[in-house]
Structures are given as structure tokens and as C-alpha cells.
Amino acid sequence: MATGAAVPTGTVSYTGNALQAAVLNSSNYYRAQHQAGALTWDDGLANYAQNYANRCAWQHSNGQYGENLAEGYTSPTFAIDSWAGEEQNYNYGKAQFSESTGHYTQLIWKNTTAVGCGAVQCNTGGSNGIQGWYLVCEYSPRGNVVGQFQQEVGKPGESSTGQLGLGEAASTSSEVRVLIVLAAAYVLLAMCV
């Protein structure tokens, strides 16, 4: 569960279409780096997330979806950045679930296709209380499935076959690569003339 020290100053990025745009833009930015398909927004997931967020309780819902929580960030973009930042602790060699990287692995889980989020300004006390903006994102199909980390969590710039490259360029056919190399050589030659 990610927490931030920042105090929220506005509501614009946490409401309506701004929330949807921020979540999709940030999530899909990180997913593209890991050759995971772009997520689409699901209103059913968003309603579930909003109903749960309204409780202002710092604990997972334990529902049927994958779930990421964040508290106190000034925008959903910063919350998602913190989830992605967990990558520094992820061990690709072991390829398994860890509490310290669960947000990250859910965020970029290749089999996940849809997301919906809800957010609310909370001011609750106690051990499970929330201070500031509370963001709840639900994912379907859920990620973090034991035994599937190797195929579902890819390194940045690496295709499913382990070839290095830039996004989908990692899986381009050798004929296309030859054309790209020839085009680059032609540009270099033209600059020298």
C-alpha cells in the first residue's frame, strides 16, 4: 500500500474524466515499457472502486479484482508513479509476489486489460485511517497470480522471448530490421554528401 507525504491541494485530477485520463495515461505509459497492452477504462470497476474508497479504510477490499491503493498523493499520476517505482525492488530472477512490489506487478501485469478507479478526500483517524486523497484502483483480470510472474511481468524493453529492444520493436521481424538498418545507413550517407 503506497503512501505519500504530500498534502493534497486540489480536486481536479481526482474527479470525473480527469481521474480517468490521468489513470489511463500514467498506467499505459508504464505498461508500454513492459510490452503490456494498454488498459481500457471500465465503469463497473470504477463504481466498485469508488464505493470501496468512500469507506476511507486503509485496507484491501479482498474482492474479486486486482487492487492498488494509495493515500495522500496530490494527483493520481504521482500515486501511479509510486507504484511503478516499486520496480527497483522487484527481482526478475525470482519472478514472484512480494508485498514491496505488488502494486508494480499489478500495474504492468500483461493479462490485465481493464482498470477502474475511485477517489475520495478522507480525514479518518485510527490505525486504518486515511488522511488526504484516497485512490483505489481495481484491475481485471486480476494480476499477481502465483506461478505466472515469469510470463506476466516483463523487463522494460524486453519482448516475451527475451530479446532486447524498444517496445514492440523488440519483436519485429528480421526483414523489417534490415529495412530499418538500410534506411539509417541511407540517411547517414545522405548527410555525408
Side-chain angles (χ1 to χ4, degrees):
M1 295 183 213
T3 59
V7 177
T9 58
T11 61
V12 175
S13 64
Y14 274 108
T15 58
N17 290 336
L19 172 63
Q20 180 179 341
V23 168
L24 289 176
N25 288 338
S26 294
S27 298
N28 290 332
Y29 168 78
Y30 289 110
R31 291 177 63 80
Q33 293 176 23
H34 297 270
Q35 286 68 58
L39 295 176
T40 59
W41 188 262
D42 183 292
D43 288 331
L45 294 174
N47 289 335
Y48 180 93
Q50 188 62 59
N51 288 336
Y52 188 73
N54 288 340
R55 297 178 184 187
C56 290
W58 187 247
Q59 61 190 34
H60 283 283
S61 69
N62 297 315
Q64 63 184 351
Y65 309 113
E67 185 174 76
N68 280 350
L69 311 175
E71 168 194 22
Y73 289 93
T74 57
S75 81
T77 301
F78 293 143
I80 293 168
D81 287 348
S82 77
W83 297 338
E86 292 177 359
E87 180 187 9
Q88 66 185 341
N89 299 320
Y90 185 71
N91 184 332
Y92 288 98
K94 289 187 178 179
Q96 62 189 15
F97 179 77
S98 164
E99 286 289 330
S100 65
T101 60
H103 297 102
Y104 162 69
T105 52
Q106 174 58 80
L107 178 66
I108 64 152
W109 196 263
K110 290 180 181 179
N111 192 46
T112 298
T113 58
V115 65
C117 302
V120 65
Q121 178 85 300
C122 298
N123 187 19
T124 56
S127 61
N128 288 339
I130 306 287
Q131 294 296 326
W133 280 104
Y134 183 34
L135 176 67
V136 176
C137 289
E138 302 294 331
Y139 299 86
S140 181
R142 77 181 314 143
N144 291 335
V145 178
V146 174
Q148 296 181 9
F149 282 81
Q150 189 69 41
Q151 66 267 23
E152 295 293 334
V153 179
K155 291 181 184 177
E158 186 175 282
S159 74
S160 59
T161 61
Q163 294 179 322
L164 294 178
L166 300 173
E168 286 303 311
S171 61
T172 35
S173 69
S174 60
E175 294 85 15
V176 174
R177 288 185 200 159
V178 169
L179 289 174
I180 292 170
V181 170
L182 289 173
Y186 177 78
V187 170
L188 287 173
L189 181 62
M191 289 176 26
C192 294
V193 175

